[in-house]
Amino acid sequence: MSLPSHAQIVVIGGGIIGCSTAYHLARDHNADVLLLEQGKLTSGSTWHAAGLVGQLRSSAAITQVLKYSVELYKRLDQETDLSTGWKMTGCLRLACNAARMEEFKRSAKTAKSFGMEMELLSASEAKALWPLLEVNDLVGASFLPTDGQANPSDIAQSLAKGARMNGADLREDIRVIGFEKSGGRITAVETTEGKVTCDSVVNCAGQWARQVGAMAGVMVPLQPIKHQYVITEPLKGLSLDAPTIRDPDRRTYFKEDVGGIVFGGYEPNPIPWTTGDVPNDFAFQLFDDDWDHFAQHMEQALVRIPTLGEVGIKQMINGPESFTPDGNFILGQAPECENMYVGAGFNAFGIASGGGAGWALAQWVVDGKPPLDLADVDIRRFPQDYRDHDKVLHETLRFYADHYALAPQL
Ligand SMILES: Cc1cc2nc3c(=O)[nH]c(=O)nc-3n(C[C@H](O)[C@H](O)[C@H](O)COP(=O)(O)OP(=O)(O)OC[C@H]3O[C@@H](n4cnc5c(N)ncnc54)[C@H](O)[C@@H]3O)c2cc1C
């Protein structure tokens, strides 16, 4: 089927963010939406995500966005009849020191202000929730019962189906290769299948968003970094409803997966991918396993869950994800081009953000302003010197390394 000659809004990228944006534009705003994906839907970073869905961040606005995601994921499968793998398992956060426990107490207050009850637990209460845990080193823990996990590809496909059910046109195997501009605005999108005139463009191109933005003179300061986790064989005694775990003082996270465990972490010595253009044909691909780099997480995970030592590793996933200089994602209207909007740079919480970010971005495109105060993620927070790739690389690596550092007292 040939491309339409005109679409009101062209969304670039069929990962979870593009699918969610198209879904919300079509469902909430009755917009005429064309989504273009250069490969297949989910073939970028979305297909290989671990699938933890947490809600609490130090920013109130981002927490609101993530909470929206959970509300959506809870009922999306009923709307689209396409399962998402959503399980409201709750999330257990572990504190190995008093400062971390203080951080959890502050988080519990923040959670309460958003109508979420975050419980503070003793080490033995944490063990009761997750019997395979070693808790001798814990000062305490927190538990947010409404966090959960899902299958990332299935959520994106379910959003894509919902978008189509509401009239959006989603096309695969079509790459955006340029833009026609007039008077600082994009007037048409050039693709491998011809030209489409449009009123607005939404750049949801994941780690490619930087080069897609550059074609319109728009700066998107992100850096792809290699991110790894492993999937184990089934563990005896592990509940299929076990909460996800964040063990920030040991820099690791865990999630139940078909009776086994997915675990990974954030290294103090992250490995970046290219600072140049990301190859366009990097679809459904991974990097080689890097066991040397992963050894630090393996060591910590074995201390926390000793029975992990009794099961084999089924698979390692080493995939690229785009990170940003301040750890927050990039959303909103580009200062250099008034009808290009961006949703990219999700710092390994794009699945958790997907529902809410798509909702906020859709409203932003239609109204020309965000639905809530999103200054923390607004693309305009970056001055133009972030066009310097080395600066972006340097600051992003530093932020990644500090991912599980104690949050500053607000
Ligand atoms: C190992 C790993 C584990 C992760 N675990 C989690 C987790 O547990 N929880 C969580 O919330 N997040 C997690 N993430 C992060 C999550 O995968 C990403 O944040 C999310 O998938 C980003 O979605 P996206 O739509 O922005 O990008 P993508 O999924 O990469 O989608 C962008 C799409 O744009 C397309 N595109 C690019 N250029 C063009 C063009 N010129 N024309 C047309 N199409 C184009 C690409 O082909 C691609 O499909 C993890 C990431 C990694 C690497």
Side-chain angles (χ1 to χ4, degrees):
M1 202 173 30
S2 61
L3 277 180
S5 58
H6 179 82
Q8 182 193 352
I9 301 168
V10 175
V11 176
I12 305 170
I16 192 166
I17 305 301
C19 291
S20 177
T21 305
Y23 166 80
H24 286 93
L25 281 167
R27 190 198 68 175
D28 298 351
H29 306 285
N30 201 21
D32 161 29
V33 182
L34 173 66
L35 181 149
L36 300 174
E37 164 55 49
Q38 64 181 354
K40 301 293 180 199
L41 297 180
T42 77
S43 62
S45 289
T46 296
W47 72 278
H48 57 56
L52 287 85
V53 176
Q55 300 168 92
L56 258 193
R57 311 290 297 188
S58 53
S59 149
I62 301 178
T63 301
Q64 237 168 306
V65 167
L66 302 185
K67 191 174 172 222
Y68 177 99
S69 295
V70 165
E71 294 303 323
L72 176 64
Y73 299 164
K74 271 193 221 167
R75 56 169 175 74
L76 185 64
D77 58 345
Q78 292 153 32
E79 198 180 308
T80 62
D81 208 18
L82 208 56
S83 123
T84 59
W86 168 253
K87 282 202 283 188
M88 203 174 83
T89 56
C91 176
L92 195 54
R93 288 179 173 76
L94 309 178
C96 294
N97 53 64
R100 183 69 69 183
M101 202 58 210
E102 281 307 311
E103 181 190 69
F104 291 174
K105 285 179 188 163
R106 290 198 299 275
S107 299
K109 281 190 192 142
T110 311
K112 202 173 179 64
S113 69
F114 289 110
M116 295 187 280
E117 285 303 325
M118 185 180 192
E119 300 160 31
L120 298 172
L121 307 180
S122 65
S124 56
E125 285 169 329
K127 177 128 181 122
L129 265 183
W130 231 98
L132 299 179
L133 286 185
E134 172 54 65
V135 298
N136 285 346
D137 61 336
L138 294 190
V139 171
S142 70
F143 182 60
L144 188 60
T146 52
D147 277 355
Q149 62 183 64
N151 183 335
S153 294
D154 291 349
I155 297 186
Q157 292 289 359
S158 199
L159 287 165
K161 184 173 177 194
R164 286 187 170 119
M165 285 164 61
N166 286 284
D169 185 358
L170 277 63
R171 304 289 186 97
E172 296 181 315
D173 301 315
I174 299 180
R175 177 172 302 141
V176 171
I177 51 174
F179 300 102
E180 274 184 15
K181 285 177 81 178
S182 172
R185 289 177 66 83
I186 293 172
T187 52
V189 174
E190 292 162 0
T191 83
T192 43
E193 300 290 320
K195 191 169 86 173
V196 182
T197 60
C198 62
D199 300 341
S200 301
V201 169
V202 196
N203 174 0
C204 298
Q207 60 182 336
W208 297 266
R210 181 170 67 189
Q211 63 216 52
V212 168
M215 293 192 285
V218 168
M219 176 187 75
V220 184
L222 53 78
Q223 171 62 46
I225 294 182
K226 296 181 177 182
H227 194 57
Q228 299 194 99
Y229 64 83
V230 294
I231 309 167
T232 75
E233 301 285 356
L235 245 81
K236 224 162 123 194
L238 178 64
S239 160
L240 297 184
D241 293 320
T244 59
I245 295 178
R246 318 253 175 187
D247 193 357
D249 300 313
R250 293 187 180 275
R251 292 176 165 272
T252 44
Y253 58 82
F254 304 85
K255 178 199 124 182
E256 181 279 330
D257 187 86
V258 206
I261 292 187
V262 157
F263 71 91
Y266 291 81
E267 309 80 20
N269 53 342
I271 301 177
W273 195 25
T274 175
T275 54
D277 280 359
V278 174
N280 281 313
D281 59 358
F282 195 88
F284 291 125
Q285 287 188 55
L286 295 172
F287 305 116
D288 291 340
D289 298 350
D290 187 345
W291 287 103
D292 286 346
H293 203 232
F294 196 77
Q296 53 191 310
H297 301 313
M298 185 63 87
E299 195 181 310
Q300 297 294 344
L302 284 168
V303 176
R304 182 59 67 216
I305 306 175
T307 47
L308 270 178
E310 296 164 17
V311 294
I313 301 290
K314 271 203 302 206
Q315 196 187 357
M316 171 177 270
I317 300 284
N318 184 3
E321 162 67 342
S322 34
F323 289 81
T324 62
D326 62 5
N328 284 336
F329 49 83
I330 300 173
L331 218 63
Q333 188 178 24
E336 306 94 336
C337 176
E338 65 183 58
N339 64 343
M340 178 180 268
Y341 291 79
V342 178
F346 277 87
N347 295 278
F349 64 106
I351 307 307
S353 313
W359 160 74
L361 193 51
Q363 197 138 330
W364 207 327
V365 176
V366 170
D367 293 347
K369 59 181 187 346
L372 62 159
D373 177 6
L374 289 172
D376 287 339
V377 294
D378 193 328
I379 189 168
R380 291 171 188 252
R381 72 189 185 277
F382 291 109
Q384 287 294 317
D385 56 345
Y386 281 90
R387 285 188 181 274
D388 178 349
H389 287 188
D390 284 342
K391 178 177 170 67
V392 173
L393 171 70
H394 183 70
E395 293 184 19
T396 304
L397 289 177
R398 202 169 54 205
F399 215 94
Y400 180 108
D402 283 346
H403 180 85
Y404 278 138
L406 283 166
Q409 194 150 357
L410 299 175

